[in-house]
């Protein structure tokens, strides 16, 4: 009985210690996020410091103990202290990079996502990591401190992204809802769906063409 009690107390102590450690632990980049956190889809929070394009953001992680600490003002070396997060389930038009031309509405997609999340605290629900080491996640945020929004949902509603159907696609149990949001935007000819035939190709087709 004594041994059983000792083991119980040790277990409780270890659990409390781990909880305190997690309150202080800040993930600098996606490489710091343990596989156990991704597998358990354990949510964490952070402030969006940069929007790379219509489906990728950089998040400064704020664990509970640093909740009110402001993020760094500097942008130099941002990749060393922020997490690269890819919005799950969506594919937005490709911006210009490495000498490749931008896709139509890529700037509008990037600007709209920035208008929704840049500088805001967001909830990150990790689902996987992609081949580039980015964290693929469900990203949620508050509008006017009240209304909870899902960033991927909003991009689909505006017709500024389409459903990602490639390998390793993560839908967080919402595939039917996501398909419905995309179909509604198509019917309303919003964003990319309002472009003339031949003006638009999917980001997947664009990437294949410009490998």
């Amino acid at each position: 009985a004594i041994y059983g009690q000792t083991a119980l107390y040790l277990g409780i102590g270890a659990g409390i210690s781990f909880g305190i450690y997690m309150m202080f632990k800040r993930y600098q980049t996606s490489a710091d996020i343990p596989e156990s956190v991704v597998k358990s889809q354990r949510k964490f929070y952070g402030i969006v410091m940069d929007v790379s394009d219509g489906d990728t953001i950089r998040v400064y992680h704020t664990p509970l103990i640093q909740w009110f600490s402001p993020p760094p003002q500097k942008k130099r070396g941002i990749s060393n202290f922020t997490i690269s997060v890819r919005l799950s389930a969506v594919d937005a038009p490709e911006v210009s990079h490495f000498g490749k031309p931008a896709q139509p509405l890529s700037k509008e997609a990037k600007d709209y996502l920035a208008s929704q999340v840049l500088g805001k605290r967001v909830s990150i629900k990790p689902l996987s990591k992609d081949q580039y080491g980015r964290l693929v996640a469900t990203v949620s945020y508050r509008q006017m401190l009240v209304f909870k929004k899902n960033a991927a949902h909003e991009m689909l509603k505006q017709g500024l992204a389409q459903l990602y159907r490639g390998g390793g696609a993560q839908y967080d149990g919402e595939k039917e809802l996501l398909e419905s949001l995309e179909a509604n935007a198509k019917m309303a000819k919003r964003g990319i769906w309002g472009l003339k035939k031949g003006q638009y190709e999917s980001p997947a087709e664009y990437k294949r063409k410009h490998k």
Side-chain angles (χ1 to χ4, degrees):
I2 293 173
Y3 291 120
Q5 274 189 328
T6 303
L8 176 63
Y9 293 145
L10 285 172
I12 292 170
I16 292 171
S17 298
F18 180 74
I20 292 171
Y21 169 74
M22 291 307 291
M23 285 172 66
F24 284 90
K25 171 69 175 173
R26 197 182 84 76
Y27 305 134
Q28 292 273 84
T29 69
S30 58
D32 296 329
I33 301 172
E35 193 59 33
S36 60
V37 170
V38 178
K39 282 186 176 177
S40 64
Q41 299 182 354
R42 191 183 307 149
K43 286 183 184 178
F44 61 89
Y45 299 85
I47 295 170
V48 178
M49 290 195 65
D50 188 61
V51 174
S52 307
D53 55 31
D55 55 37
T56 308
I57 60 178
R58 283 202 164 272
V59 176
Y60 182 82
H61 176 217
T62 53
L64 186 59
I65 204 72
Q66 297 176 33
W67 189 265
F68 297 107
S69 301
Q73 294 300 306
K74 63 177 183 177
K75 284 292 184 77
R76 191 173 178 181
I78 194 171
S79 61
N80 297 319
F81 58 86
T82 57
I83 301 164
S84 182
V85 179
R86 171 78 153 79
L87 304 189
S88 64
V90 296
D91 217 0
E94 294 290 310
V95 297
S96 173
H97 52 265
F98 305 122
K100 298 170 186 174
Q103 283 193 277
L105 296 184
S106 58
K107 183 181 184 301
E108 287 81 353
K110 177 181 175 178
D111 289 350
Y112 181 76
L113 182 58
S115 76
Q116 297 297 295
V117 301
L118 189 59
K120 291 183 180 178
R121 191 179 303 279
V122 294
S123 161
I124 305 291
K125 181 181 179 182
L127 303 175
S128 67
K129 289 185 183 180
D130 69 10
Q131 69 268 37
Y132 306 110
R134 296 176 300 184
L135 187 70
V136 179
T138 298
V139 177
S140 303
Y141 60 98
R142 297 274 177 186
Q143 200 165 59
M144 295 187 291
L145 301 176
V146 178
F147 305 105
K148 190 174 182 182
K149 302 271 188 174
N150 177 305
H153 292 182
E154 298 308 308
M155 296 304 288
L156 286 173
K157 285 177 187 176
Q158 297 298 321
L160 292 172
Q162 64 182 85
L163 192 62
Y164 178 68
R165 295 179 171 87
Q170 296 283 345
Y171 302 120
D172 197 15
E174 294 188 327
K175 191 175 182 185
E176 285 187 15
L177 170 60
L178 294 162
E179 287 174 334
S180 173
L181 293 174
E182 182 185 61
N184 289 340
K186 270 186 182 180
M187 281 183 64
K189 297 190 182 303
R190 284 194 289 268
I192 56 176
W193 310 116
L195 294 172
K196 292 177 182 176
K197 194 172 181 181
Q199 252 190 315
Y200 181 73
E201 60 186 345
S202 73
E205 290 168 333
Y206 172 92
K207 283 179 247 188
R208 279 194 292 270
K209 188 184 287 186
H210 293 278
K211 270 186 177 180

